Structures are given as C-alpha cells and as structure tokens.
Short mmCIF file of all heavy atoms in Angstrom, two decimals:
data_model
loop_
_atom_site.label_atom_id
_atom_site.label_comp_id
_atom_site.label_asym_id
_atom_site.label_seq_id
_atom_site.Cartn_x
_atom_site.Cartn_y
_atom_site.Cartn_z
N ALA A 2 -5.17 -6.09 3.24
CA ALA A 2 -4.57 -6.76 4.40
C ALA A 2 -3.19 -7.31 4.05
O ALA A 2 -2.25 -7.22 4.86
CB ALA A 2 -5.49 -7.88 4.88
N LEU A 3 -3.06 -7.89 2.86
CA LEU A 3 -1.74 -8.35 2.39
C LEU A 3 -0.73 -7.21 2.43
O LEU A 3 0.40 -7.37 2.93
CB LEU A 3 -1.85 -8.87 0.96
CG LEU A 3 -0.51 -9.03 0.23
CD1 LEU A 3 0.13 -10.35 0.58
CD2 LEU A 3 -0.67 -8.88 -1.27
N GLN A 4 -1.11 -6.04 1.92
CA GLN A 4 -0.18 -4.91 1.86
C GLN A 4 0.22 -4.44 3.25
O GLN A 4 1.38 -4.06 3.48
CB GLN A 4 -0.80 -3.78 1.05
CG GLN A 4 -0.91 -4.10 -0.43
CD GLN A 4 -1.75 -3.12 -1.21
OE1 GLN A 4 -1.36 -1.97 -1.40
NE2 GLN A 4 -2.93 -3.55 -1.65
N ALA A 5 -0.72 -4.49 4.21
CA ALA A 5 -0.36 -4.11 5.58
C ALA A 5 0.66 -5.08 6.16
O ALA A 5 1.61 -4.66 6.86
CB ALA A 5 -1.62 -4.08 6.45
N ILE A 6 0.50 -6.38 5.89
CA ILE A 6 1.46 -7.37 6.38
C ILE A 6 2.83 -7.14 5.75
O ILE A 6 3.87 -7.19 6.44
CB ILE A 6 0.93 -8.79 6.10
CG1 ILE A 6 -0.31 -9.06 6.95
CG2 ILE A 6 2.01 -9.83 6.39
CD1 ILE A 6 -1.05 -10.33 6.57
N VAL A 7 2.86 -6.86 4.45
CA VAL A 7 4.13 -6.56 3.78
C VAL A 7 4.75 -5.28 4.34
O VAL A 7 5.97 -5.19 4.54
CB VAL A 7 3.91 -6.45 2.25
CG1 VAL A 7 5.13 -5.88 1.55
CG2 VAL A 7 3.55 -7.82 1.67
N ASN A 8 3.90 -4.28 4.62
CA ASN A 8 4.40 -3.04 5.21
C ASN A 8 5.10 -3.30 6.54
O ASN A 8 6.15 -2.72 6.84
CB ASN A 8 3.25 -2.05 5.42
CG ASN A 8 2.69 -1.51 4.12
OD1 ASN A 8 3.31 -1.60 3.08
ND2 ASN A 8 1.49 -0.95 4.19
N LEU A 9 4.49 -4.16 7.35
CA LEU A 9 5.04 -4.43 8.69
C LEU A 9 6.31 -5.27 8.62
O LEU A 9 7.30 -4.99 9.31
CB LEU A 9 3.98 -5.14 9.54
CG LEU A 9 2.79 -4.29 9.98
CD1 LEU A 9 1.63 -5.17 10.43
CD2 LEU A 9 3.21 -3.33 11.10
N ILE A 10 6.31 -6.31 7.78
CA ILE A 10 7.43 -7.25 7.76
C ILE A 10 8.55 -6.78 6.84
O ILE A 10 9.73 -6.78 7.23
CB ILE A 10 6.93 -8.65 7.35
CG1 ILE A 10 5.97 -9.20 8.42
CG2 ILE A 10 8.12 -9.61 7.16
CD1 ILE A 10 5.32 -10.52 8.06
N ASP A 11 8.22 -6.40 5.61
CA ASP A 11 9.25 -6.05 4.63
C ASP A 11 9.71 -4.60 4.75
O ASP A 11 10.91 -4.32 4.71
CB ASP A 11 8.74 -6.30 3.21
CG ASP A 11 8.63 -7.77 2.89
OD1 ASP A 11 9.66 -8.45 2.91
OD2 ASP A 11 7.52 -8.24 2.62
N HIS A 12 8.76 -3.70 4.88
CA HIS A 12 9.11 -2.28 4.94
C HIS A 12 9.32 -1.78 6.38
O HIS A 12 9.71 -0.63 6.57
CB HIS A 12 8.04 -1.45 4.24
CG HIS A 12 7.88 -1.77 2.79
ND1 HIS A 12 8.91 -1.62 1.88
CD2 HIS A 12 6.83 -2.27 2.09
CE1 HIS A 12 8.49 -2.00 0.68
NE2 HIS A 12 7.25 -2.40 0.78
N ARG A 13 9.07 -2.66 7.34
CA ARG A 13 9.34 -2.39 8.77
C ARG A 13 8.69 -1.08 9.22
O ARG A 13 9.28 -0.27 9.94
CB ARG A 13 10.84 -2.39 9.05
CG ARG A 13 11.48 -3.71 8.62
CD ARG A 13 12.94 -3.80 8.98
NE ARG A 13 13.59 -4.87 8.21
CZ ARG A 13 14.88 -5.14 8.25
NH1 ARG A 13 15.68 -4.43 9.03
NH2 ARG A 13 15.39 -6.11 7.51
N MET A 14 7.47 -0.89 8.80
CA MET A 14 6.71 0.28 9.23
C MET A 14 6.22 0.11 10.65
O MET A 14 6.09 -1.01 11.16
CB MET A 14 5.49 0.49 8.31
CG MET A 14 5.83 0.90 6.90
SD MET A 14 4.30 1.29 5.99
CE MET A 14 4.97 1.59 4.35
N THR A 15 5.93 1.23 11.30
CA THR A 15 5.20 1.17 12.56
C THR A 15 3.78 0.72 12.26
O THR A 15 3.31 0.74 11.11
CB THR A 15 5.15 2.54 13.24
OG1 THR A 15 4.34 3.44 12.44
CG2 THR A 15 6.54 3.12 13.42
N LEU A 16 3.05 0.32 13.30
CA LEU A 16 1.67 -0.12 13.10
C LEU A 16 0.83 0.99 12.48
O LEU A 16 0.04 0.76 11.56
CB LEU A 16 1.07 -0.58 14.42
CG LEU A 16 -0.29 -1.27 14.31
CD1 LEU A 16 -0.16 -2.62 13.63
CD2 LEU A 16 -0.94 -1.41 15.68
N GLN A 17 0.99 2.21 12.99
CA GLN A 17 0.21 3.34 12.47
C GLN A 17 0.52 3.57 11.00
O GLN A 17 -0.38 3.81 10.19
CB GLN A 17 0.48 4.61 13.28
CG GLN A 17 -0.48 5.75 12.98
CD GLN A 17 -1.90 5.43 13.42
OE1 GLN A 17 -2.14 4.93 14.50
NE2 GLN A 17 -2.86 5.72 12.55
N GLU A 18 1.79 3.52 10.65
CA GLU A 18 2.17 3.69 9.25
C GLU A 18 1.59 2.58 8.38
O GLU A 18 1.10 2.82 7.26
CB GLU A 18 3.69 3.71 9.11
CG GLU A 18 4.36 4.94 9.69
CD GLU A 18 5.87 4.82 9.72
OE1 GLU A 18 6.39 3.68 9.79
OE2 GLU A 18 6.54 5.87 9.68
N ALA A 19 1.62 1.36 8.88
CA ALA A 19 1.17 0.21 8.08
C ALA A 19 -0.31 0.30 7.73
O ALA A 19 -0.71 -0.07 6.63
CB ALA A 19 1.46 -1.09 8.83
N VAL A 20 -1.14 0.79 8.67
CA VAL A 20 -2.58 0.86 8.38
C VAL A 20 -2.93 2.09 7.54
O VAL A 20 -3.94 2.10 6.83
CB VAL A 20 -3.42 0.83 9.67
CG1 VAL A 20 -3.14 -0.43 10.46
CG2 VAL A 20 -3.23 2.06 10.53
N GLU A 21 -2.11 3.14 7.61
CA GLU A 21 -2.43 4.37 6.88
C GLU A 21 -1.72 4.46 5.53
O GLU A 21 -2.07 5.32 4.70
CB GLU A 21 -2.06 5.59 7.72
CG GLU A 21 -2.90 5.76 8.96
CD GLU A 21 -3.04 7.21 9.40
OE1 GLU A 21 -3.13 8.08 8.52
OE2 GLU A 21 -3.06 7.45 10.61
N ALA A 22 -0.76 3.63 5.26
CA ALA A 22 0.03 3.71 4.03
C ALA A 22 -0.86 3.64 2.79
O ALA A 22 -1.88 2.94 2.79
CB ALA A 22 1.07 2.59 3.99
N PRO A 23 -0.50 4.34 1.73
CA PRO A 23 -1.27 4.26 0.50
C PRO A 23 -1.31 2.85 -0.06
O PRO A 23 -0.36 2.08 0.07
CB PRO A 23 -0.56 5.23 -0.45
CG PRO A 23 0.81 5.42 0.14
CD PRO A 23 0.65 5.26 1.60
N ARG A 24 -2.43 2.52 -0.72
CA ARG A 24 -2.69 1.17 -1.19
C ARG A 24 -2.89 1.12 -2.70
O ARG A 24 -3.19 2.13 -3.34
CB ARG A 24 -3.96 0.61 -0.53
CG ARG A 24 -3.92 0.59 0.98
CD ARG A 24 -5.30 0.25 1.54
NE ARG A 24 -5.32 0.30 3.01
CZ ARG A 24 -6.44 0.42 3.72
NH1 ARG A 24 -7.61 0.48 3.11
NH2 ARG A 24 -6.38 0.46 5.03
N ILE A 25 -2.77 -0.09 -3.22
CA ILE A 25 -3.10 -0.36 -4.63
C ILE A 25 -4.16 -1.44 -4.66
O ILE A 25 -4.40 -2.14 -3.66
CB ILE A 25 -1.87 -0.80 -5.44
CG1 ILE A 25 -1.48 -2.25 -5.09
CG2 ILE A 25 -0.69 0.11 -5.19
CD1 ILE A 25 -0.59 -2.93 -6.09
N TRP A 26 -4.78 -1.60 -5.84
CA TRP A 26 -5.71 -2.72 -6.02
C TRP A 26 -5.91 -3.00 -7.49
O TRP A 26 -5.98 -2.07 -8.32
CB TRP A 26 -7.07 -2.42 -5.39
CG TRP A 26 -8.02 -3.58 -5.56
CD1 TRP A 26 -8.05 -4.73 -4.82
CD2 TRP A 26 -9.04 -3.73 -6.55
NE1 TRP A 26 -9.02 -5.58 -5.28
CE2 TRP A 26 -9.66 -4.99 -6.35
CE3 TRP A 26 -9.49 -2.93 -7.59
CZ2 TRP A 26 -10.70 -5.46 -7.14
CZ3 TRP A 26 -10.53 -3.39 -8.40
CH2 TRP A 26 -11.13 -4.64 -8.15
N THR A 27 -5.99 -4.27 -7.82
CA THR A 27 -6.41 -4.72 -9.14
C THR A 27 -6.91 -6.15 -9.01
O THR A 27 -6.47 -6.90 -8.15
CB THR A 27 -5.27 -4.67 -10.17
OG1 THR A 27 -5.77 -5.09 -11.44
CG2 THR A 27 -4.11 -5.57 -9.77
N GLU A 28 -7.86 -6.51 -9.86
CA GLU A 28 -8.27 -7.92 -9.96
C GLU A 28 -7.99 -8.45 -11.36
O GLU A 28 -8.45 -9.52 -11.73
CB GLU A 28 -9.74 -8.10 -9.60
CG GLU A 28 -10.70 -7.35 -10.48
CD GLU A 28 -12.16 -7.66 -10.15
OE1 GLU A 28 -12.46 -8.82 -9.78
OE2 GLU A 28 -13.00 -6.75 -10.27
N GLY A 29 -7.21 -7.67 -12.14
CA GLY A 29 -6.88 -8.09 -13.49
C GLY A 29 -7.25 -7.08 -14.54
O GLY A 29 -6.80 -7.16 -15.69
N GLY A 30 -8.08 -6.10 -14.16
CA GLY A 30 -8.43 -5.02 -15.07
C GLY A 30 -7.55 -3.80 -14.79
O GLY A 30 -6.33 -3.87 -14.87
N VAL A 31 -8.18 -2.68 -14.44
CA VAL A 31 -7.42 -1.48 -14.14
C VAL A 31 -6.63 -1.67 -12.85
O VAL A 31 -6.96 -2.50 -11.99
CB VAL A 31 -8.34 -0.25 -14.01
CG1 VAL A 31 -9.06 0.00 -15.32
CG2 VAL A 31 -9.33 -0.42 -12.86
N LEU A 32 -5.58 -0.88 -12.70
CA LEU A 32 -4.76 -0.85 -11.48
C LEU A 32 -5.04 0.45 -10.75
O LEU A 32 -4.71 1.54 -11.24
CB LEU A 32 -3.28 -0.95 -11.83
CG LEU A 32 -2.28 -0.76 -10.67
CD1 LEU A 32 -2.50 -1.80 -9.58
CD2 LEU A 32 -0.85 -0.80 -11.18
N GLU A 33 -5.69 0.34 -9.61
CA GLU A 33 -6.01 1.52 -8.81
C GLU A 33 -4.82 1.88 -7.92
O GLU A 33 -4.28 1.02 -7.24
CB GLU A 33 -7.24 1.28 -7.94
CG GLU A 33 -8.52 1.04 -8.71
CD GLU A 33 -9.71 0.82 -7.80
OE1 GLU A 33 -9.59 1.08 -6.57
OE2 GLU A 33 -10.77 0.38 -8.29
N LEU A 34 -4.44 3.15 -7.93
CA LEU A 34 -3.39 3.67 -7.05
C LEU A 34 -3.97 4.80 -6.23
O LEU A 34 -4.59 5.72 -6.78
CB LEU A 34 -2.22 4.23 -7.87
CG LEU A 34 -1.42 3.32 -8.79
CD1 LEU A 34 -0.31 4.13 -9.45
CD2 LEU A 34 -0.84 2.15 -8.03
N GLU A 35 -3.77 4.74 -4.91
CA GLU A 35 -4.15 5.91 -4.11
C GLU A 35 -3.25 7.09 -4.45
O GLU A 35 -2.16 6.94 -5.02
CB GLU A 35 -4.10 5.56 -2.61
CG GLU A 35 -5.28 4.72 -2.17
CD GLU A 35 -5.40 4.58 -0.66
OE1 GLU A 35 -4.42 4.87 0.07
OE2 GLU A 35 -6.46 4.17 -0.19
N GLU A 36 -3.71 8.26 -4.09
CA GLU A 36 -3.11 9.49 -4.60
C GLU A 36 -1.70 9.76 -4.10
O GLU A 36 -0.96 10.54 -4.70
CB GLU A 36 -4.03 10.67 -4.29
CG GLU A 36 -5.36 10.56 -5.06
CD GLU A 36 -6.43 11.49 -4.52
OE1 GLU A 36 -6.21 12.05 -3.41
OE2 GLU A 36 -7.46 11.66 -5.19
N ALA A 37 -1.27 9.11 -3.00
CA ALA A 37 0.07 9.38 -2.46
C ALA A 37 1.18 8.77 -3.30
O ALA A 37 2.35 9.13 -3.12
CB ALA A 37 0.16 8.87 -1.02
N PHE A 38 0.86 7.85 -4.21
CA PHE A 38 1.91 7.31 -5.07
C PHE A 38 2.35 8.38 -6.07
O PHE A 38 1.51 9.04 -6.70
CB PHE A 38 1.41 6.07 -5.81
CG PHE A 38 1.28 4.85 -4.95
CD1 PHE A 38 0.05 4.49 -4.43
CD2 PHE A 38 2.39 4.09 -4.63
CE1 PHE A 38 -0.08 3.37 -3.61
CE2 PHE A 38 2.28 2.97 -3.82
CZ PHE A 38 1.05 2.62 -3.30
N PRO A 39 3.66 8.58 -6.23
CA PRO A 39 4.14 9.65 -7.12
C PRO A 39 3.68 9.45 -8.56
O PRO A 39 3.51 8.32 -9.03
CB PRO A 39 5.67 9.54 -7.01
CG PRO A 39 5.92 8.81 -5.74
CD PRO A 39 4.76 7.87 -5.56
N GLU A 40 3.50 10.55 -9.25
CA GLU A 40 3.07 10.49 -10.65
C GLU A 40 4.09 9.76 -11.51
O GLU A 40 3.73 9.05 -12.47
CB GLU A 40 2.84 11.90 -11.19
CG GLU A 40 2.31 11.95 -12.62
CD GLU A 40 0.99 11.20 -12.78
OE1 GLU A 40 0.23 11.09 -11.80
OE2 GLU A 40 0.74 10.70 -13.90
N ALA A 41 5.38 9.90 -11.18
CA ALA A 41 6.41 9.21 -11.94
C ALA A 41 6.23 7.69 -11.86
O ALA A 41 6.47 6.96 -12.84
CB ALA A 41 7.79 9.61 -11.46
N VAL A 42 5.82 7.19 -10.69
CA VAL A 42 5.58 5.76 -10.53
C VAL A 42 4.36 5.35 -11.35
O VAL A 42 4.37 4.31 -12.03
CB VAL A 42 5.39 5.42 -9.04
CG1 VAL A 42 4.91 3.97 -8.87
CG2 VAL A 42 6.69 5.63 -8.28
#
C-alpha cells in the first residue's frame, strides 16, 4: 500500500499503473523483487 501511494504521488502514475506496478518486499531478511525489475537493478 505504501508503494502504491508513492507511485501515485511521487511517480505520478495513473491509478491503473499504481495498482499494477511491480513491487518489492522485505522485513529485514531477503529482499523480494517482482520480475519486472531489471536484472541490472
């Protein structure tokens, strides 16, 4: 939900883009990246 808010306010995405955009997650262990993030990143 935080990332969707950042998508809307900072990245100025449309609503559809904000809910569908690739996400990350971590609670302090591994960092999960959805597959749309480039391998270089």
Side-chain angles (χ1 to χ4, degrees):
L3 165 83
Q4 290 169 69
I6 293 169
V7 170
N8 291 343
L9 289 162
I10 295 175
D11 289 298
H12 298 299
R13 303 185 197 176
M14 292 186 185
T15 67
L16 189 69
Q17 191 66 45
E18 290 172 333
V20 302
E21 293 209 36
R24 302 171 184 160
I25 74 162
W26 181 80
T27 181
E28 61 175 325
V31 298
L32 173 60
E33 296 181 12
L34 298 181
E35 284 191 344
E36 294 165 348
F38 286 98
E40 183 58 27
V42 171

